[in-house]
Amino acid sequence: MVRLKFLLFALLVLGLGLAHLPTLSAPQGARAVEGAALQAASGTGEVTRRVDARRAEVQSLALKLAGSPQVAAAVRALTPAPAPKSPRDRYGSSKDAEEPAGMLPLTAERFGALRTAAEAGLPQELQGAVVAVVAGDAVFHARAGAEPSSDTAALDVAALARAGTSVVDAFGAPHVFASVPLAWSGEGTPAPALTLVVGAPLAAEAALQGALDASGAAAVGLVQGDKVVGGVGEKKEKLEGSLPRLTAGAKDTVLDSGSLQALGPVQLPAFTRGDAMGGQAPLLVGSRQALAGTPYEVVVLAGTAATLAPLAAYQHTALLALAG
């Protein structure tokens, strides 16, 4: 009788012990996914913040260059002195009115003078800066240390001038561009007659690395279309393969499932997704969000090991105790 009571007690303890595992593990698995999604959101927000800071930096630089004495002198050289106009009243006037003459056509030589004036104000630490000028149908652009070009296929300067501040792919890398009018036409509705466009590399790798360090994610990548144009992190090799499974706007897509340790045939942690023998625990969560004001998207991969490893260790100990 005593043995029977002990057996019933042991079976009751064993049943309760096994029953508490899914009750504990399923919510813990959901919390692991939520935690990884928050981590991914933090990485996306950090990339956005750094891109906005770079955009403001280039915009401020363009305004500074447009107001510099060197650029102002170069612009004046393109504008002939105003021609005197006949007195407006028939009795004459104490001083003649003046009307502005048209601006000289923009040539490669005149662009060179504007470029030299603008580059004189560029910070020395700014690498790969681009200076461009638009005057009517004439456009010229030049990278630091390179020959000037008017090839719109390489860089659509006119579109950049109309956009104000934009982030586009140029010269094989993401660049930030900002435009500032240097002179206005006085005929009819005023319109920019001469526009300065200043560009600089987005410094995507630095922005992604900063976001990775701040969020603690497994990988952070910059995507254009279905191509990864930059990535950092220990799981960056998984960025390319994750794109087909990450729809635009995805925040908590489980990309990898598996286990963190094993106890015989049981893969731990178990019961996180209704898997009694384990092996289906969410290990890697992905997010894919558009980067506002740019043609790019941010993909962040975040792991769940920090949340699920303690659960796996607990299940290992609990199963050994129940077996004993």
Side-chain angles (χ1 to χ4, degrees), residues 9 18 154 160:
F9 177 75
L18 291 174
L160 295 174

Side-chain angles (χ1 to χ4, degrees), residues 6-200:
F6 182 79
L7 177 61
L8 291 175
F9 177 75
L11 291 175
L12 178 62
V13 171
L14 185 61
L16 291 175
L18 291 174
H20 97 284
L21 289 178
T23 304
L24 171 70
S25 303
Q28 193 72 2
R31 279 194 291 271
V33 173
E34 291 176 4
L38 290 175
Q39 198 174 33
S42 173
T44 301
E46 190 64 23
V47 173
T48 301
R49 186 187 69 80
R50 291 173 181 270
V51 169
D52 288 344
R54 185 66 166 179
R55 190 156 29 195
E57 177 186 356
V58 174
Q59 190 175 34
S60 175
L61 176 62
L63 292 170
K64 176 184 175 183
L65 295 181
S68 68
Q70 295 91 335
V71 172
V75 172
R76 283 195 300 271
L78 291 176
T79 308
K85 189 174 80 171
S86 59
R88 292 184 178 179
D89 61 271
R90 57 183 178 178
Y91 299 106
S93 175
S94 59
K95 59 179 181 179
D96 291 337
E98 295 179 340
E99 60 180 5
M103 182 168 290
L104 296 174
L106 182 65
T107 62
E109 182 179 357
R110 290 165 181 155
F111 167 72
L114 281 167
R115 173 191 179 186
T116 301
E119 288 184 344
L122 292 175
Q124 293 184 353
E125 64 275 10
L126 185 64
Q127 302 295 321
V130 182
V131 174
V133 175
V134 180
D137 295 332
V139 295
F140 286 93
H141 69 268
R143 300 175 68 187
E147 292 297 319
S149 171
S150 58
D151 183 10
T152 56
L155 187 67
D156 192 349
V157 181
L160 295 174
R162 292 191 298 269
T165 304
S166 56
V167 180
V168 300
D169 187 66
F171 311 109
H175 279 63
V176 181
F177 289 93
S179 64
V180 181
L182 297 177
W184 296 82
S185 63
E187 300 178 1
T189 303
L194 188 70
T195 304
L196 173 68
V197 179
V198 179

Side-chain angles (χ1 to χ4, degrees), residues 246-252 287-290 297:
L246 287 173
T247 58
K251 296 181 179 180
D252 55 359
S287 166
R288 182 174 182 174
Q289 300 292 314
E297 295 174 300

